[in-house]
Coordinates of all heavy atoms in Angstrom, one line a residue:
P1 N -28.7 68.1 189.6 CA -28.3 69.3 189.0 C -29.2 70.5 189.5 O -30.3 70.3 189.7 CB -28.5 69.2 187.5 CG -28.7 67.7 187.3 CD -29.1 67.1 188.6
S2 N -28.6 71.6 189.6 CA -29.3 72.8 190.1 C -30.0 73.5 188.9 O -29.4 73.4 187.8 CB -28.4 73.8 190.8 OG -27.4 74.2 190.0
R3 N -31.1 74.1 189.1 CA -31.8 74.8 188.0 C -31.7 76.3 188.2 O -31.7 76.8 189.3 CB -33.3 74.4 188.0 CG -33.5 72.9 187.6 CD -34.9 72.6 187.4 NE -35.1 71.2 187.0 CZ -35.2 70.8 185.7 NH1 -35.1 71.7 184.7 NH2 -35.3 69.6 185.4
S4 N -31.7 77.0 187.1 CA -31.7 78.5 187.2 C -32.4 79.0 185.9 O -32.6 78.3 185.0 CB -30.3 79.0 187.2 OG -29.6 78.7 186.0
T5 N -32.8 80.2 186.0 CA -33.5 80.8 184.8 C -32.4 81.3 183.9 O -31.5 82.0 184.2 CB -34.4 82.0 185.3 OG1 -35.3 81.5 186.2 CG2 -35.1 82.6 184.1
C6 N -32.6 80.8 182.6 CA -31.6 81.3 181.6 C -32.0 82.7 181.1 O -33.2 83.1 181.3 CB -31.8 80.4 180.4 SG -31.0 78.8 180.6
P7 N -31.1 83.4 180.6 CA -31.4 84.8 180.1 C -32.2 84.7 178.8 O -32.4 85.8 178.2 CB -30.1 85.4 179.9 CG -29.1 84.2 179.7 CD -29.7 83.1 180.4
F8 N -32.7 83.6 178.3 CA -33.4 83.5 177.1 C -34.8 83.1 177.3 O -35.2 82.0 177.6 CB -32.7 82.4 176.2 CG -31.3 82.6 176.0 CD1 -30.3 81.9 176.8 CD2 -30.8 83.6 175.2 CE1 -29.0 82.1 176.6 CE2 -29.5 83.8 175.0 CZ -28.5 83.1 175.7
N9 N -35.7 84.1 177.3 CA -37.1 84.0 177.4 C -37.5 83.3 178.7 O -38.6 82.6 178.8 CB -37.7 83.1 176.2 CG -37.4 83.8 174.9 OD1 -37.5 85.0 174.8 ND2 -37.1 83.0 173.9
G10 N -36.7 83.4 179.7 CA -37.1 82.9 181.0 C -37.1 81.4 181.1 O -37.7 80.8 182.0
Q11 N -36.5 80.7 180.1 CA -36.5 79.2 180.1 C -35.7 78.7 181.3 O -34.8 79.4 181.7 CB -35.9 78.7 178.8 CG -36.7 79.0 177.5 CD -35.9 78.6 176.3 OE1 -34.8 78.0 176.4 NE2 -36.4 78.9 175.2
I12 N -36.1 77.6 181.8 CA -35.3 76.9 182.8 C -34.2 76.1 182.2 O -34.4 75.4 181.3 CB -36.2 76.0 183.7 CG1 -37.3 76.8 184.3 CG2 -35.4 75.3 184.7 CD1 -36.9 77.9 185.3
C13 N -33.0 76.4 182.7 CA -31.8 75.6 182.3 C -31.3 74.8 183.4 O -31.4 75.2 184.6 CB -30.7 76.6 181.9 SG -31.0 77.5 180.3
V14 N -30.7 73.7 183.1 CA -30.0 72.9 184.1 C -28.5 73.1 184.0 O -27.9 72.9 183.0 CB -30.4 71.4 183.9 CG1 -29.7 70.5 184.9 CG2 -31.9 71.2 183.9
K15 N -27.9 73.5 185.1 CA -26.5 73.7 185.2 C -25.8 72.4 185.5 O -26.3 71.7 186.4 CB -26.1 74.7 186.3 CG -26.6 76.1 186.0 CD -26.1 77.0 187.1 CE -26.5 78.4 186.9 NZ -26.1 79.3 188.0
P16 N -24.7 72.1 184.8 CA -24.0 70.8 185.2 C -23.5 71.0 186.6 O -22.9 72.0 186.9 CB -22.9 70.8 184.2 CG -23.1 71.8 183.2 CD -24.1 72.7 183.7
A17 N -23.7 70.0 187.4 CA -23.2 70.0 188.8 C -23.0 68.6 189.2 O -23.8 67.7 189.0 CB -24.2 70.7 189.7
G18 N -21.8 68.3 189.8 CA -21.6 67.0 190.3 C -21.1 66.0 189.1 O -21.2 66.4 188.0
Q19 N -20.7 64.8 189.5 CA -20.1 63.9 188.5 C -21.1 63.6 187.4 O -20.7 63.5 186.2 CB -19.7 62.6 189.2 CG -18.5 62.8 190.1 CD -18.1 61.5 190.8 OE1 -19.0 60.7 191.1 NE2 -16.8 61.3 190.9
N20 N -22.4 63.4 187.7 CA -23.3 63.0 186.7 C -23.7 64.1 185.7 O -24.3 63.8 184.6 CB -24.6 62.4 187.3 CG -24.3 61.1 188.1 OD1 -23.4 60.4 187.7 ND2 -25.0 60.9 189.2
G21 N -23.5 65.3 186.0 CA -23.9 66.4 185.2 C -22.8 67.1 184.5 O -23.1 68.0 183.7
E22 N -21.6 66.8 184.7 CA -20.5 67.5 184.1 C -20.3 67.1 182.7 O -20.5 66.0 182.3 CB -19.2 67.2 184.9 CG -19.2 67.8 186.3 CD -17.9 67.4 187.0 OE1 -17.0 66.7 186.5 OE2 -17.8 67.8 188.2
L23 N -20.0 68.1 181.9 CA -19.7 67.9 180.5 C -18.3 67.4 180.3 O -17.4 67.9 180.9 CB -19.9 69.2 179.6 CG -21.3 69.8 179.7 CD1 -21.3 71.0 178.7 CD2 -22.4 68.8 179.3
T24 N -18.1 66.4 179.5 CA -16.8 65.9 179.2 C -16.2 66.8 178.1 O -16.9 67.6 177.5 CB -16.9 64.4 178.6 OG1 -17.6 64.5 177.3 CG2 -17.6 63.5 179.5
N25 N -14.9 66.6 177.9 CA -14.2 67.4 176.9 C -14.8 67.1 175.5 O -15.0 68.1 174.7 CB -12.7 67.1 176.8 CG -12.0 67.7 178.0 OD1 -12.4 68.6 178.7 ND2 -10.8 67.1 178.3
R26 N -15.2 65.9 175.3 CA -15.8 65.5 174.0 C -17.2 66.2 173.9 O -17.6 66.6 172.8 CB -15.9 64.0 173.9 CG -16.4 63.5 172.5 CD -15.6 64.0 171.4 NE -14.8 62.8 170.9 CZ -13.9 62.9 169.9 NH1 -13.7 64.0 169.3 NH2 -13.3 61.8 169.6
D27 N -18.0 66.2 175.0 CA -19.3 66.8 175.0 C -19.1 68.3 174.6 O -19.9 68.8 173.7 CB -19.9 66.8 176.4 CG -20.5 65.5 176.8 OD1 -20.8 64.7 176.0 OD2 -20.6 65.3 178.1
V28 N -18.2 69.0 175.1 CA -18.0 70.4 174.8 C -17.6 70.6 173.4 O -18.1 71.5 172.7 CB -16.9 71.0 175.8 CG1 -16.5 72.4 175.3 CG2 -17.4 71.0 177.2
E29 N -16.7 69.7 172.9 CA -16.3 69.8 171.5 C -17.5 69.6 170.6 O -17.7 70.4 169.6 CB -15.2 68.6 171.3 CG -14.6 68.7 169.9 CD -13.5 67.6 169.9 OE1 -13.5 66.6 170.6 OE2 -12.6 67.8 169.0
I30 N -18.3 68.6 170.9 CA -19.5 68.4 170.0 C -20.5 69.5 170.2 O -21.1 69.9 169.2 CB -20.1 67.0 170.4 CG1 -19.1 65.9 169.9 CG2 -21.5 66.8 169.8 CD1 -19.5 64.5 170.4
L31 N -20.7 70.0 171.4 CA -21.6 71.1 171.6 C -21.2 72.3 170.8 O -22.1 72.9 170.2 CB -21.6 71.4 173.1 CG -22.5 72.6 173.6 CD1 -23.9 72.5 173.1 CD2 -22.4 72.8 175.1
K32 N -20.0 72.6 170.8 CA -19.5 73.8 170.0 C -19.8 73.6 168.5 O -20.2 74.5 167.8 CB -18.0 74.0 170.2 CG -17.7 74.5 171.5 CD -16.2 74.7 171.7 CE -15.9 75.3 173.1 NZ -14.4 75.5 173.3
L33 N -19.6 72.4 168.0 CA -19.9 72.1 166.6 C -21.4 72.1 166.3 O -21.8 72.6 165.2 CB -19.3 70.7 166.2 CG -17.7 70.7 166.1 CD1 -17.2 69.3 166.0 CD2 -17.2 71.6 165.1
I34 N -22.2 71.6 167.2 CA -23.7 71.8 167.0 C -24.0 73.2 167.0 O -24.8 73.6 166.1 CB -24.4 71.0 168.2 CG1 -24.2 69.5 168.1 CG2 -25.9 71.4 168.2 CD1 -24.7 68.7 169.3
A35 N -23.5 74.0 167.9 CA -23.8 75.5 167.9 C -23.4 76.2 166.6 O -24.0 77.2 166.2 CB -23.1 76.1 169.1
E36 N -22.3 75.6 166.0 CA -21.9 76.2 164.7 C -22.8 75.8 163.5 O -22.6 76.3 162.4 CB -20.4 75.8 164.4 CG -19.4 76.5 165.3 CD -18.0 76.1 165.0 OE1 -17.7 75.9 163.8 OE2 -17.2 76.1 165.9
G37 N -23.7 74.9 163.8 CA -24.7 74.5 162.8 C -24.3 73.2 162.0 O -25.0 72.9 161.0
F38 N -23.3 72.5 162.5 CA -23.0 71.3 161.8 C -24.0 70.2 162.1 O -24.5 70.1 163.2 CB -21.6 70.8 162.2 CG -20.4 71.6 161.7 CD1 -19.8 72.6 162.5 CD2 -20.0 71.5 160.4 CE1 -18.8 73.4 162.0 CE2 -19.0 72.3 159.9 CZ -18.4 73.2 160.7
M39 N -24.2 69.3 161.1 CA -25.1 68.2 161.3 C -24.3 67.0 161.9 O -23.1 67.0 161.8 CB -25.7 67.8 159.9 CG -26.5 68.9 159.2 SD -27.8 69.6 160.2 CE -29.0 68.2 160.1
E40 N -25.0 66.0 162.4 CA -24.4 64.9 163.0 C -23.4 64.2 162.1 O -22.3 63.9 162.5 CB -25.4 63.8 163.5 CG -26.2 64.3 164.8 CD -27.2 63.3 165.2 OE1 -27.3 62.2 164.6 OE2 -27.8 63.6 166.2
K41 N -23.8 64.0 160.8 CA -22.9 63.4 159.9 C -21.6 64.2 159.7 O -20.5 63.6 159.6 CB -23.7 63.2 158.5 CG -22.9 62.5 157.5 CD -23.7 62.3 156.2 CE -23.0 61.6 155.1 NZ -23.8 61.4 153.9
E42 N -21.7 65.5 159.6 CA -20.6 66.4 159.4 C -19.6 66.3 160.6 O -18.4 66.3 160.5 CB -21.0 67.8 159.1 CG -21.8 67.9 157.8 CD -22.5 69.3 157.7 OE1 -23.1 69.8 158.7 OE2 -22.5 69.9 156.6
I43 N -20.2 66.3 161.8 CA -19.5 66.3 163.1 C -18.7 65.0 163.1 O -17.5 64.9 163.5 CB -20.4 66.5 164.3 CG1 -21.0 67.9 164.3 CG2 -19.6 66.3 165.6 CD1 -22.1 68.1 165.3
A44 N -19.4 63.9 162.8 CA -18.8 62.6 162.8 C -17.6 62.5 161.9 O -16.5 62.0 162.3 CB -19.8 61.5 162.5
A45 N -17.7 63.0 160.7 CA -16.6 63.0 159.8 C -15.5 63.9 160.3 O -14.3 63.5 160.2 CB -17.1 63.5 158.4
Q46 N -15.8 65.1 160.8 CA -14.7 66.0 161.3 C -14.0 65.4 162.5 O -12.8 65.6 162.6 CB -15.4 67.3 161.7 CG -14.4 68.4 162.1 CD -15.0 69.8 162.2 OE1 -16.1 70.0 161.7 NE2 -14.4 70.7 162.8
L47 N -14.7 64.7 163.4 CA -14.0 64.1 164.6 C -13.6 62.6 164.4 O -13.0 62.1 165.3 CB -15.0 64.2 165.8 CG -15.4 65.6 166.2 CD1 -16.4 65.5 167.3 CD2 -14.2 66.5 166.5
S48 N -13.8 62.1 163.2 CA -13.4 60.7 162.9 C -14.0 59.7 163.9 O -13.3 58.8 164.3 CB -11.9 60.6 162.8 OG -11.3 61.4 161.9
I49 N -15.3 59.9 164.2 CA -16.0 58.9 165.0 C -17.4 58.7 164.3 O -17.7 59.3 163.3 CB -16.3 59.4 166.4 CG1 -17.0 60.7 166.5 CG2 -14.9 59.5 167.2 CD1 -17.3 61.2 167.9
T50 N -18.1 57.7 164.7 CA -19.3 57.3 164.0 C -20.4 58.3 164.3 O -20.5 59.0 165.3 CB -19.8 55.9 164.5 OG1 -20.2 56.0 165.8 CG2 -18.7 54.9 164.3
Q51 N -21.4 58.3 163.4 CA -22.6 59.1 163.5 C -23.4 58.7 164.7 O -24.0 59.5 165.4 CB -23.4 59.1 162.2 CG -24.4 60.2 162.2 CD -25.1 60.3 160.8 OE1 -24.5 59.8 159.8 NE2 -26.2 60.9 160.7
T52 N -23.4 57.4 165.0 CA -24.1 56.8 166.2 C -23.5 57.4 167.5 O -24.2 57.8 168.4 CB -24.0 55.3 166.2 OG1 -24.5 54.8 165.0 CG2 -24.7 54.7 167.4
A53 N -22.1 57.5 167.5 CA -21.5 58.1 168.7 C -21.9 59.6 168.9 O -22.1 60.0 170.0 CB -20.0 58.0 168.6
I54 N -22.0 60.3 167.8 CA -22.4 61.7 167.9 C -23.9 61.8 168.4 O -24.2 62.6 169.2 CB -22.3 62.4 166.5 CG1 -20.9 62.4 166.0 CG2 -22.9 63.8 166.5 CD1 -19.9 63.2 166.9
A55 N -24.7 60.9 167.9 CA -26.1 60.9 168.3 C -26.2 60.6 169.8 O -27.0 61.2 170.5 CB -26.9 59.8 167.6
K56 N -25.3 59.7 170.3 CA -25.3 59.4 171.8 C -24.9 60.6 172.6 O -25.4 60.9 173.6 CB -24.4 58.2 172.0 CG -25.1 56.9 171.6 CD -24.2 55.7 171.9 CE -24.8 54.4 171.4 NZ -23.9 53.2 171.6
H57 N -23.8 61.3 172.1 CA -23.3 62.5 172.8 C -24.4 63.6 172.8 O -24.6 64.3 173.8 CB -22.1 63.0 172.1 CG -20.8 62.4 172.5 ND1 -20.2 62.6 173.8 CD2 -20.0 61.4 171.9 CE1 -19.1 61.9 173.9 NE2 -19.0 61.1 172.8
R58 N -25.1 63.7 171.7 CA -26.2 64.7 171.6 C -27.3 64.4 172.6 O -27.7 65.3 173.3 CB -26.7 64.7 170.1 CG -27.6 65.9 169.8 CD -27.8 66.0 168.3 NE -28.5 67.2 167.9 CZ -29.8 67.3 167.7 NH1 -30.5 66.2 167.8 NH2 -30.3 68.4 167.4
K59 N -27.7 63.2 172.7 CA -28.7 62.8 173.6 C -28.2 63.1 175.1 O -28.9 63.6 175.9 CB -29.1 61.3 173.5 CG -30.2 60.9 174.4 CD -30.5 59.4 174.1 CE -31.6 59.0 175.1 NZ -32.1 57.6 174.9
S60 N -27.0 62.7 175.3 CA -26.4 63.0 176.6 C -26.4 64.5 176.9 O -26.6 64.9 178.1 CB -24.9 62.5 176.7 OG -24.3 62.8 177.9
L61 N -26.0 65.3 175.9 CA -26.1 66.8 176.1 C -27.5 67.3 176.5 O -27.6 68.1 177.3 CB -25.5 67.5 174.9 CG -24.0 67.4 174.6 CD1 -23.7 67.8 173.2 CD2 -23.3 68.3 175.7
F62 N -28.5 66.7 175.8 CA -29.8 67.1 176.1 C -30.2 66.7 177.6 O -30.7 67.5 178.3 CB -30.8 66.4 175.2 CG -30.9 66.9 173.8 CD1 -31.1 66.1 172.7 CD2 -30.6 68.3 173.5 CE1 -31.2 66.6 171.4 CE2 -30.7 68.8 172.2 CZ -31.0 67.9 171.1
N63 N -29.7 65.5 178.0 CA -30.0 65.1 179.4 C -29.3 66.0 180.4 O -29.8 66.3 181.4 CB -29.6 63.6 179.5 CG -30.6 62.7 178.8 OD1 -31.7 63.0 178.6 ND2 -30.1 61.5 178.4
K64 N -28.0 66.3 180.1 CA -27.2 67.0 181.1 C -27.6 68.5 181.2 O -27.5 69.1 182.2 CB -25.7 66.9 180.7 CG -25.1 65.5 180.9 CD -23.7 65.5 180.4 CE -23.1 64.1 180.6 NZ -21.7 64.1 180.2
T65 N -28.1 69.1 180.1 CA -28.4 70.5 180.1 C -29.9 70.8 180.2 O -30.3 71.9 180.6 CB -27.9 71.2 178.7 OG1 -28.7 70.6 177.7 CG2 -26.5 71.0 178.5
G66 N -30.7 69.8 179.9 CA -32.2 70.1 180.0 C -32.7 70.7 178.7 O -33.9 71.0 178.6
A67 N -31.8 70.9 177.7 CA -32.2 71.4 176.4 C -33.0 70.4 175.6 O -32.8 69.2 175.9 CB -31.0 71.9 175.6
Q68 N -33.8 70.8 174.7 CA -34.6 69.9 173.9 C -34.4 70.1 172.4 O -35.1 69.5 171.6 CB -36.1 70.0 174.3 CG -36.4 69.6 175.7 CD -37.8 69.7 176.0 OE1 -38.7 70.2 175.3 NE2 -38.2 69.3 177.2
S69 N -33.5 71.0 172.0 CA -33.2 71.3 170.6 C -31.8 71.8 170.5 O -31.2 72.2 171.5 CB -34.2 72.3 170.0 OG -33.9 73.6 170.6
S70 N -31.3 71.8 169.3 CA -30.0 72.4 169.0 C -29.9 73.9 169.4 O -28.9 74.3 169.9 CB -29.6 72.2 167.5 OG -29.4 70.8 167.3
I71 N -31.0 74.6 169.1 CA -31.0 76.0 169.4 C -31.0 76.2 170.9 O -30.2 77.0 171.4 CB -32.3 76.6 168.9 CG1 -32.2 76.7 167.3 CG2 -32.5 78.0 169.4 CD1 -33.5 77.1 166.6
A72 N -31.7 75.4 171.7 CA -31.7 75.4 173.2 C -30.3 75.1 173.7 O -29.8 75.7 174.6 CB -32.7 74.5 173.8
L73 N -29.6 74.1 173.0 CA -28.3 73.7 173.4 C -27.3 74.9 173.2 O -26.5 75.2 174.1 CB -27.7 72.6 172.6 CG -28.1 71.2 173.1 CD1 -27.6 70.1 172.0 CD2 -27.5 70.9 174.4
T74 N -27.5 75.6 172.1 CA -26.7 76.8 171.8 C -26.9 77.9 172.9 O -26.0 78.5 173.4 CB -27.0 77.3 170.4 OG1 -26.7 76.2 169.5 CG2 -26.1 78.5 170.1
H75 N -28.2 78.1 173.2 CA -28.5 79.1 174.2 C -27.9 78.8 175.5 O -27.3 79.6 176.2 CB -30.0 79.3 174.3 CG -30.6 80.0 173.2 ND1 -32.0 80.3 173.2 CD2 -30.1 80.6 172.1 CE1 -32.3 80.9 172.1 NE2 -31.2 81.2 171.4
W76 N -28.0 77.5 175.9 CA -27.4 77.0 177.1 C -25.9 77.2 177.2 O -25.3 77.7 178.2 CB -27.8 75.5 177.3 CG -27.3 75.0 178.6 CD1 -28.1 74.9 179.8 CD2 -26.1 74.4 179.0 NE1 -27.3 74.4 180.8 CE2 -26.1 74.0 180.3 CE3 -24.9 74.2 178.3 CZ2 -25.0 73.5 181.0 CZ3 -23.8 73.6 178.9 CH2 -23.9 73.3 180.2
A77 N -25.2 76.9 176.0 CA -23.8 77.0 176.0 C -23.4 78.5 176.1 O -22.3 78.8 176.7 CB -23.3 76.4 174.7
I78 N -24.1 79.4 175.5 CA -23.8 80.8 175.7 C -24.0 81.3 177.1 O -23.2 81.9 177.7 CB -24.7 81.7 174.7 CG1 -24.3 81.4 173.2 CG2 -24.6 83.2 175.0 CD1 -25.3 82.0 172.2
A79 N -25.1 80.9 177.7 CA -25.5 81.3 179.1 C -24.4 80.7 180.1 O -24.2 81.3 181.1 CB -26.9 80.8 179.4
H80 N -23.8 79.6 179.8 CA -22.8 79.0 180.7 C -21.4 79.3 180.2 O -20.4 78.6 180.6 CB -23.1 77.5 180.8 CG -24.4 77.3 181.6 ND1 -25.6 77.3 180.9 CD2 -24.6 77.2 182.9 CE1 -26.5 77.1 181.8 NE2 -26.0 77.1 183.0
N81 N -21.2 80.3 179.3 CA -19.9 80.7 178.9 C -19.0 79.6 178.3 O -17.8 79.6 178.4 CB -19.1 81.4 180.0 CG -19.8 82.6 180.5 OD1 -20.2 83.4 179.7 ND2 -19.9 82.7 181.8
I82 N -19.7 78.7 177.6 CA -18.9 77.7 176.8 C -18.6 78.2 175.5 O -17.5 77.9 174.9 CB -19.7 76.3 176.8 CG1 -19.8 75.8 178.2 CG2 -19.1 75.3 175.8 CD1 -20.7 74.6 178.4
I83 N -19.5 79.0 174.9 CA -19.2 79.6 173.6 C -19.6 81.1 173.8 O -20.4 81.5 174.6 CB -20.0 79.0 172.4 CG1 -21.5 79.1 172.7 CG2 -19.6 77.5 172.2 CD1 -22.4 78.7 171.5
Q84 N -19.1 81.9 172.9 CA -19.4 83.3 172.9 C -20.3 83.6 171.7 O -20.1 83.0 170.6 CB -18.1 84.2 172.7 CG -17.1 84.0 173.8 CD -17.7 84.5 175.1 OE1 -18.3 85.5 175.2 NE2 -17.6 83.6 176.2
P85 N -21.4 84.4 171.9 CA -22.3 84.7 170.8 C -21.5 85.5 169.7 O -20.6 86.2 170.0 CB -23.4 85.5 171.4 CG -22.8 86.1 172.6 CD -21.7 85.1 173.1
S86 N -21.8 85.2 168.4 CA -21.3 86.0 167.3 C -22.5 86.5 166.5 O -23.5 85.8 166.4 CB -20.4 85.1 166.5 OG -21.1 84.0 165.9
Y87 N -22.3 87.7 166.1 CA -23.4 88.3 165.3 C -22.9 88.7 163.9 O -21.8 89.2 163.8 CB -23.8 89.6 166.0 CG -24.3 89.3 167.4 CD1 -23.5 89.5 168.5 CD2 -25.6 88.8 167.7 CE1 -23.9 89.2 169.8 CE2 -26.0 88.5 169.0 CZ -25.2 88.7 170.0 OH -25.6 88.4 171.3
A88 N -23.7 88.3 162.9 CA -23.4 88.7 161.6 C -23.4 90.2 161.4 O -24.4 90.8 161.9 CB -24.3 88.0 160.6
V89 N -22.5 90.7 160.7 CA -22.5 92.2 160.5 C -22.8 92.5 159.1 O -22.5 91.9 158.2 CB -21.1 92.8 160.9 CG1 -21.1 94.3 160.8 CG2 -20.6 92.3 162.3

């Protein structure tokens, strides 16, 4: 995967590139729910899959993006136009 500087505090982000770094449709679905603040148990119930499966996807997301937290995953998703930032008014 290629590296670039994210617009968030100069952190290094890993862009998905090639077969091993591409996000699956399920990865994107779970990433969006993580970014919305849902916990693994809630995501599992919403998607009708096990909490263990969600944990595996989350770990895979960390590996594919280089993120180390849910906040970093959210920043990565915004920087890569997977989600749009929303601001409370």
Side-chain angles (χ1 to χ4, degrees):
S2 60
R3 292 187 178 268
S4 65
T5 302
C6 286
F8 306 101
N9 301 323
Q11 296 175 2
I12 299 298
C13 289
V14 178
K15 292 183 180 180
Q19 290 180 324
N20 294 330
E22 292 176 0
L23 299 184
T24 65
N25 289 339
R26 184 64 103 181
D27 286 337
V28 171
E29 189 175 21
I30 291 169
L31 175 56
K32 288 178 179 181
L33 292 170
I34 290 170
E36 289 181 33
F38 289 100
M39 303 301 291
E40 287 180 2
K41 183 177 181 178
E42 296 167 318
I43 296 170
Q46 188 168 340
L47 299 180
S48 300
I49 60 178
T50 67
Q51 194 170 341
T52 302
I54 298 299
K56 287 180 182 179
H57 276 284
R58 192 167 188 262
K59 183 177 179 179
S60 174
L61 284 165
F62 288 148
N63 289 333
K64 290 178 181 181
T65 64
Q68 296 180 354
S69 69
S70 294
I71 292 171
L73 276 176
T74 301
H75 285 179
W76 185 93
I78 292 168
H80 293 87
N81 297 314
I82 293 172
I83 61 172
Q84 298 297 315
S86 60
Y87 302 97
V89 183

